[in-house]
Amino acid sequence: MRPVVIAHRGASGYLPEHTFPAKALAHAMGADYLEQDVVATRDDELVVLHDIHLDSVTDVATRYPGRARADGRFYARDFDLSEVRQLQVHERTNADGSPVYPGRFASGAEPFRVHTFAEELGFVQSLQKAHGHSVGIYPEIKRPAWHRKEGVDVTPQFLRILGDFGYRAHSDPVYVQCFDAAELRRIRRKFNCRLKLIQLIGENSWRESATNYAVLRGRRGLERLAKTVDGIGPWVNRLYRLRRRDGQIRSTGLVERAHGAGLAVHPYTFRVDEIPEGFASFDALLTFCFDELSIDGVFTDFPDRILQFLRRNSGKHASNP
Ligand code: CA
């Protein structure tokens, strides 16, 4: 089976992340899955946003001055949906306002908006109907434990919305992803969810959740994970080791261990404008990951570039059924 191409926040290498235009472009490019990140507003509405903060991708600081918390950040949880809808979405910026990826879409004049999770699932259905070709979804529950501390349990509502749109069975074209291992166990056991689940694996230093990622990357950790989830989403930098002396790149064994445990491997994030250290080109990275490691899919900001590579090497990567 050909590896799956997951449009990370849409075709976010070309248009501002998580906007409908970015999702439509990814679908037109032929991505297999469109990704959604889900956070809650003050009135408990689920919206599609990568961060629990609004300030990196919207004009919240100028539209609602004085609404930041003590840390200077503007939290989606402190705004009602009607307020979030007023915000203008732009390309991701650093705290000083400079673009995170300087070569990308830079206008900032378009009325791009934040939308709800349900609106996005409706949009995906309309796109499929109009185009006649299907696309999967790949939603992530962001910071579930943090949300509970803020007084909202995101997961039941998230699963209810998926069910409303017909996503219920293991064979449905959906992967549910989360960094929090306890939440994924809860989803599988307490909520008896049949959907495919992906454990995201980060660095403990990122403080995404209470999960110990160093343990998950080991053989036993992966075997234990396989009782709950269908696959892992590791950071691409954890797939290889770079020998600085001669620049040689070797597998860390993570993909092999995961495959040994029966888990699919969908690493993140493949960006043409941010190639991991040690690879001479984007193609060199893809050649290593697909040909040597046999990964099962990728999160990418540039779905077209991955699909072009897979087509060029279609002898090696059998087409998806
Ligand atoms: Ca995500």
Side-chain angles (χ1 to χ4, degrees):
M1 201 161 93
R2 138 159 117 55
V4 295
V5 178
I6 305 146
H8 180 247
R9 313 179 201 169
S12 58
Y14 302 102
L15 284 162
E17 64 183 56
H18 283 319
T19 59
F20 280 149
K23 300 295 163 79
L25 182 57
H27 181 246
M29 286 172 168
D32 301 302
Y33 290 87
L34 305 180
E35 194 209 19
Q36 298 80 32
D37 293 304
V38 175
V39 305
T41 61
R42 181 166 63 189
D43 47 351
D44 296 346
E45 295 283 350
L46 302 190
V47 294
V48 179
L49 266 179
H50 178 263
D51 307 334
I52 54 175
H53 315 115
L54 291 158
D55 34 278
S56 301
V57 293
T58 75
D59 61 347
V60 66
T62 50
R63 193 167 289 266
Y64 300 110
R67 299 271 299 271
R69 292 192 185 185
D71 62 1
R73 306 301 303 268
F74 294 77
Y75 287 73
R77 185 62 181 152
D78 296 337
F79 294 83
D80 287 336
L81 175 61
S82 58
E83 295 176 313
V84 171
R85 286 194 193 284
Q86 304 302 313
L87 299 173
Q88 186 152 334
V89 176
H90 54 66
E91 189 58 45
R92 179 167 286 270
T93 54
N94 298 305
D96 66 0
S98 63
V100 172
Y101 300 99
R104 295 189 181 182
F105 192 90
S107 158
E110 297 75 13
F112 293 135
R113 296 283 181 247
V114 178
H115 53 264
T116 67
F117 184 40
E119 284 164 354
E120 173 142 349
L121 299 188
F123 183 69
V124 168
Q125 289 196 344
S126 300
L127 274 179
Q128 294 188 119
K129 212 177 273 175
H131 259 259
H133 89 88
S134 62
V135 64
I137 58 165
Y138 210 119
E140 175 183 355
I141 303 174
K142 303 300 288 191
R143 308 282 296 268
W146 180 87
H147 275 100
R148 269 197 295 281
K149 261 186 247 160
E150 293 283 323
V152 57
D153 189 0
V154 170
T155 297
Q157 199 184 339
F158 172 93
L159 293 174
R160 197 180 322 119
I161 292 168
L162 285 174
D164 288 347
F165 282 87
Y167 299 108
R168 294 187 193 92
H170 193 259
S171 57
D172 287 337
V174 49
Y175 285 93
V176 170
Q177 42 162 344
C178 195
F179 275 103
D180 188 326
E183 197 67 20
L184 286 166
R185 286 195 296 274
R186 184 172 175 248
I187 288 168
R188 186 65 93 210
R189 291 174 199 161
K190 181 167 180 230
F191 294 100
N192 202 26
C193 172
R194 310 318 310 160
L195 299 172
K196 292 185 282 292
L197 304 180
I198 294 288
Q199 172 73 56
L200 298 171
I201 301 182
E203 298 297 304
N204 290 341
S205 62
W206 297 347
R207 300 181 175 278
E208 266 291 330
S209 76
T211 302
N212 185 336
Y213 301 111
V215 170
L216 294 191
R217 283 190 291 263
R219 185 175 59 82
R220 284 204 176 156
L222 292 163
E223 283 170 358
R224 187 155 173 258
L225 269 183
K227 293 180 178 145
T228 305
V229 304
D230 300 273
I232 58 168
W235 188 29
V236 63
N237 296 50
R238 284 287 182 174
L239 302 188
Y240 70 96
R241 211 169 274 128
L242 168 65
R243 198 163 66 183
R244 285 172 204 284
R245 179 159 49 82
D246 57 4
Q248 197 179 77
I249 283 169
R250 288 247 173 89
S251 172
T252 54
L254 175 57
V255 177
E256 293 85 344
R257 287 195 297 280
H259 282 164
L263 293 165
V265 182
H266 298 168
Y268 61 88
T269 305
F270 287 66
R271 298 181 169 111
V272 174
D273 49 5
E274 192 180 64
I275 298 169
E277 192 189 3
F279 293 97
S281 66
F282 195 58
D283 272 16
L285 169 69
L286 299 185
T287 300
F288 175 75
C289 288
F290 289 125
D291 295 353
E292 285 197 38
L293 299 182
S294 300
I295 59 169
D296 308 282
V298 287
F299 287 89
T300 182
D301 295 359
F302 299 87
D304 56 334
R305 294 290 298 268
I306 305 287
L307 288 160
Q308 282 162 17
F309 177 89
L310 293 173
R311 259 180 239 123
R312 278 202 308 274
N313 296 275
S314 58
K316 285 184 237 169
H317 311 286
S319 67
N320 235 349

